[in-house]
Amino acid sequence: MEFSCKDFKVGKCQGQKLVDGESMPLVLQPREADKADMESLLLALKTNKDWFEQLIMKNSAVLLRGFDVKNAQDFNDIVEAFGWDDIRYVGPAPRTHVHKRVWTANEGPLSEFIYYHHEMVLIKESPKTLLLFCEVPPPEGGETPFVPSFRVTERMLEEFPEAVEEMDAKGLQYSFTALSKNDTSSMRGRGWEDTFGTSDREEAERRAKALGMNLEWLPNGGVKAVLGPRSLTRVFDGRKGRRMWFNTVVGMHGKEISSASMADGTEIPENVVKRCGEIIEEESIQFKWEKGDVAIFDNMALLHGRRPSKPPRRVLVATCK
């Protein structure tokens, strides 16, 4: 699909890469200086909705830059302009509701690195699209690096073909533990009550079951969630038949509060996990946040994370079906 929309011009950003012939991220800016206002942007998005959706699927990451996006209300208007259905976040990250469909991104300590992941990869229904808005850019660090998922699969198949096919055939099993209440001192500090929207254990079990989880209650009032089997790789429609590295093995394997193994209990070789982590980092792409930036990620095609940063940093998020 050739770039042809009259409402935007293509820009550049530091860290941008060419992947399989496509710019990542594709930077879209106002075509004219007097078209940077919210009214013009919303009209352009609504008018070119189908074109924009194709663009996101084609380039995987689109960065709207140079528009007058000031706050959560403006960001929510952008989210709603696309007309995509909302999907409620389920996961371990501590988050706060800000406005309508807008939430804070992971509120864990800024000094820590949030590892690469597809949003809600462990849940039966993951968001198709992830939107991020930079309200306050950090003075240093704090990038949201992303990784073309198919590149990880390609390279892992080159180096560990037998291990990849074994994990794909057997499937994966994960577990993680959570306290009852939120703990914002941890990147995975979201309590089970907030996660499942209830303090009733039986209701939490029902809701967990619907999401594909089994819960085991712990003496301290916390819970251990067990999920599986889950796929190692997946192929999604409209993405050139690519096998996406749609898992969180590196992020959960051998951690204090989480684990990852093959679904039949077979351990995943440590050297495979270590090398996979190196490959993911080697394939990562990142840009410096600027105030008012809106990044739109194809969650089926990209892993993303968060670099450590100095405060302040405020990035808001919306997840869509």
Side-chain angles (χ1 to χ4, degrees):
M1 180 181 65
E2 295 297 324
F3 187 87
S4 59
C5 183
K6 62 181 177 60
D7 295 306
F8 302 96
K9 67 177 181 181
V10 176
K12 294 184 179 180
C13 68
Q14 184 181 15
Q16 189 178 46
K17 289 184 180 180
L18 202 63
V19 180
D20 202 18
E22 306 297 345
S23 295
M24 290 191 187
L26 177 67
V27 181
L28 298 183
Q29 298 173 319
R31 183 167 289 279
E32 306 292 342
D34 62 351
K35 296 295 184 181
D37 60 285
M38 278 297 299
E39 184 178 353
S40 297
L41 174 58
L42 294 175
L43 178 61
L45 295 178
K46 291 175 182 177
T47 304
N48 302 286
K49 181 175 177 291
D50 292 341
W51 172 85
F52 210 95
E53 288 182 351
Q54 293 178 51
L55 200 66
I56 294 167
M57 194 171 293
K58 176 174 175 281
N59 289 81
S60 300
V62 176
L63 178 63
L64 298 175
R65 173 166 283 180
F67 294 93
D68 192 24
V69 188
K70 293 187 177 70
N71 50 41
Q73 289 79 7
D74 289 346
F75 179 45
N76 186 78
D77 288 343
I78 291 172
V79 175
E80 294 189 343
F82 286 109
W84 299 322
D85 291 336
D86 188 39
I87 184 169
R88 186 178 187 274
Y89 172 73
V90 178
R95 292 181 171 179
T96 301
H97 182 241
V98 179
H99 176 74
K100 293 186 177 179
R101 295 175 61 173
V102 178
W103 295 70
T104 59
N106 191 320
E107 295 179 337
L110 290 177
S111 58
E112 297 185 33
F113 175 53
I114 297 175
Y115 197 71
Y116 302 97
H117 58 285
H118 290 273
E119 198 70 14
M120 290 167 56
V121 68
L122 300 181
I123 309 304
K124 286 183 176 180
E125 184 182 20
S126 303
K128 179 182 176 182
T129 309
L130 180 70
L131 297 94
L132 299 159
F133 162 58
C134 182
E135 188 172 28
V136 180
E140 182 179 322
E143 299 90 351
T144 300
F146 61 90
V147 179
S149 196
F150 78 96
R151 287 290 299 140
V152 183
T153 307
E154 288 180 347
R155 293 186 59 184
M156 287 295 289
L157 281 168
E158 290 172 1
E159 297 191 31
F160 304 100
E162 293 181 359
V164 170
E165 298 302 356
E166 181 183 8
M167 286 188 284
D168 233 356
K170 291 181 175 179
L172 303 170
Q173 177 172 286
Y174 302 97
S175 73
F176 66 88
T177 59
L179 299 174
S180 60
K181 305 295 183 182
N182 290 346
D183 175 12
T184 55
S185 68
S186 169
M187 296 183 303
R188 294 178 176 270
R190 193 180 189 197
W192 64 262
E193 294 183 18
D194 189 21
T195 298
F196 299 116
T198 181
S199 59
D200 181 86
R201 291 190 176 193
E202 290 186 3
E203 181 60 25
E205 289 176 2
R206 283 193 290 270
R207 295 181 183 183
K209 197 78 172 179
L211 295 167
M213 304 181 196
N214 291 314
L215 302 184
E216 300 174 8
W217 299 102
L218 304 176
N220 66 355
V223 69
K224 178 180 179 181
V226 180
L227 308 88
R230 295 288 190 272
S231 301
L232 179 79
T233 65
R234 289 185 63 181
V235 177
F236 298 99
D237 291 341
R239 294 163 179 84
K240 302 181 180 180
R242 293 164 168 167
R243 284 175 74 179
M244 304 301 182
W245 193 253
F246 208 72
N247 65 77
T248 183
V249 166
V250 178
M252 294 184 70
H253 181 270
K255 302 298 190 295
E256 183 179 352
I257 62 171
S258 66
S259 69
S261 66
M262 295 185 218
D264 66 353
T266 304
E267 287 295 323
I268 302 170
E270 184 65 39
N271 67 310
V272 173
V273 178
K274 182 176 183 296
R275 179 58 185 144
C276 182
E278 294 170 349
I279 289 171
I280 289 172
E281 187 58 54
E282 289 165 7
E283 293 292 333
S284 68
I285 301 167
Q286 66 183 32
F287 58 90
K288 291 285 186 183
W289 281 116
E290 294 184 7
K291 182 176 177 58
D293 279 351
V294 175
I296 307 171
F297 290 168
D298 179 354
N299 189 49
M300 306 290 101
L302 298 178
L303 303 108
H304 70 280
R306 187 195 73 189
R307 300 281 186 211
S309 77
K310 291 185 177 179
R313 177 189 190 271
R314 185 171 169 85
V315 173
L316 305 180
V317 64
T319 47
C320 304
K321 293 184 180 179

